[in-house]
């Protein structure tokens, strides 16, 4: 049984469709969404409808939370603020209620999913080093945990110490714990513009990070014609 585990879609429908097609082509029968369905790009309702149509486990991201609440948009970076207020106008009350009611942490089979970190799921901290990973491992009670939020794929393993693994393919070993950042579907930030997600083969105990090409130009054109900041379109070409 193969799970496609993906998040940080950020309203990029072209990237989401490309990932789902790649997952289907690789025999994934189950889907798991790590949150941040909306924000930044131009197709929030469409991406939300697609994810809801999958009827799969989903956890809440920070953009999902802000967009679905009435909190004032202060203290955010200007690009996030502009896209969040634009997205609030696009979503109906039902969409917002769905996003607001998402849980922060869920367990699926032998793994946990959370958007940011397990040590502070609603604090939206970032795991960008093995030291941050160590904090999250302290609250991880399953062998595997999948996260997102940084938009940079990363594999961490905990034995007596915590290490970041350089490979993008992982064979799960008994007695070890793993923290896997699946990267971002709709706005990668590791210098590779291709959409990122992971396939977890439960039977084979193997996790693979996949990168998928998609129609970036079309996603960019939609951002520009929606009146969203040009920078949000530009960054998709360079993957940062
Ligand atoms: Zn995000």
């Amino acid at each position: 049984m193969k799970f496609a585990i993906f998040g940080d879609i950020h309203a990029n429908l072209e990237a989401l469709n490309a990932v789902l097609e790649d997952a289907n082509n690789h025999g994934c029968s189950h889907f798991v969404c790590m949150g941040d369905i909306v924000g930044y790009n131009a197709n929030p309702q469409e991406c939300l409808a697609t994810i809801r149509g999958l009827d799969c486990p989903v956890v809440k991201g920070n953009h999902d939370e802000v967009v679905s609440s009435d909190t004032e948009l202060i203290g955010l970076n200007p690009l996030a603020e502009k896209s969040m207020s634009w997205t609030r106008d696009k979503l109906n009350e039902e969409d917002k209620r769905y996003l607001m009611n998402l849980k922060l942490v869920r367990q699926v089979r032998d793994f946990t999913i959370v958007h940011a970190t397990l040590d502070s799921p609603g604090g939206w901290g970032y795991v960008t080093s093995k030291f941050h990973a160590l904090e999250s491992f302290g609250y991880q009670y399953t062998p595997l945990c999948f996260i997102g939020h940084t938009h940079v794929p990363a594999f961490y393993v905990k034995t007596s110490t915590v290490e970041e693994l350089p490979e993008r393919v992982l064979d799960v070993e008994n007695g070890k714990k793993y923290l896997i950042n699946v990267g971002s579907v709709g706005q990668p930030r590791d210098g590779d513009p291709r959409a990122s997600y992971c396939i977890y083969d439960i039977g084979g105990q193997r996790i693979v990070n996949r990168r998928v090409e998609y129609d970036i130009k079309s996603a960019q054109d939609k951002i520009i014609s929606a009146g969203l900041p040009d920078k949000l379109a530009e960054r998709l070409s360079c993957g940062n």
Side-chain angles (χ1 to χ4, degrees):
M1 179 190 294
K2 288 185 183 171
F3 280 82
I5 306 179
F6 61 93
D8 293 285
I9 298 119
H10 286 297
N12 186 334
L13 187 63
E14 285 73 20
L16 176 59
N17 285 337
V19 160
L20 294 178
E21 190 184 334
D22 188 78
N24 280 318
N25 291 341
H26 285 82
C28 293
S29 53
H30 290 65
F31 298 86
V32 171
C33 176
M34 312 293 306
D36 271 4
I37 301 168
V38 301
Y40 291 131
N41 298 303
N43 285 124
Q45 310 107 303
E46 295 82 355
C47 287
L48 204 41
T50 302
I51 300 295
R52 294 184 70 171
L54 292 172
D55 194 22
C56 68
V58 182
V59 284
K60 188 193 281 186
N62 51 315
H63 284 250
D64 305 325
E65 175 164 282
V66 173
V67 162
S68 63
S69 73
D70 296 326
T71 51
E72 258 190 273
L73 298 172
I74 44 171
L76 300 163
N77 77 62
L79 289 179
E81 185 184 320
K82 181 90 193 352
S83 78
M84 281 183 186
S85 73
W86 181 90
T87 304
R88 272 185 181 169
D89 288 343
K90 293 288 161 199
L91 297 183
N92 62 38
E93 289 311 308
E94 211 315 268
D95 288 336
K96 288 181 188 170
R97 210 172 309 120
Y98 170 82
L99 291 174
M100 187 178 293
N101 289 332
L102 290 173
K103 294 195 163 43
L104 291 171
V105 184
R106 290 189 63 165
Q107 190 178 331
V108 184
R109 304 290 175 124
D110 65 345
F111 60 92
T112 307
I113 55 174
V114 62
H115 184 70
T117 73
L118 281 178
D119 48 302
S120 174
W124 312 116
Y126 292 86
V127 176
T128 53
S129 72
K130 60 183 183 181
F131 304 104
H132 299 129
L134 178 64
E135 304 281 310
S136 189
F137 274 124
Y139 296 84
Q140 183 177 324
Y141 305 110
T142 51
L144 291 163
C145 177
F146 292 90
I147 59 172
H149 197 39
T150 64
H151 298 207
V152 175
F155 288 22
Y156 297 95
V157 60
K158 182 173 186 294
T159 49
S160 54
T161 58
V162 172
E163 295 301 333
E164 182 171 358
L165 301 169
E167 298 85 15
R168 288 288 174 264
V169 176
L170 167 68
D171 288 310
V172 177
E173 294 175 39
N174 282 338
K176 297 183 177 176
K177 279 186 180 174
Y178 300 90
L179 182 64
I180 311 292
N181 192 317
V182 298
S184 169
V185 170
Q187 195 194 77
R189 293 180 192 160
D190 61 344
D192 181 344
R194 295 174 300 169
S196 175
Y197 79 106
C198 283
I199 294 179
Y200 174 33
D201 178 351
I202 286 207
Q205 287 292 286
R206 171 169 275 215
I207 299 163
V208 179
N209 176 221
R210 290 196 51 78
R211 301 306 289 255
V212 185
E213 295 202 12
Y214 71 95
D215 185 354
I216 292 179
K217 175 79 172 61
S218 156
Q220 289 172 318
D221 289 346
K222 287 181 186 173
I223 291 169
I224 303 296
S225 38
L228 285 160
D230 292 0
K231 252 198 146 37
L232 291 174
E234 287 161 21
R235 70 190 303 175
L236 295 180
S237 302
C238 34
N240 67 24

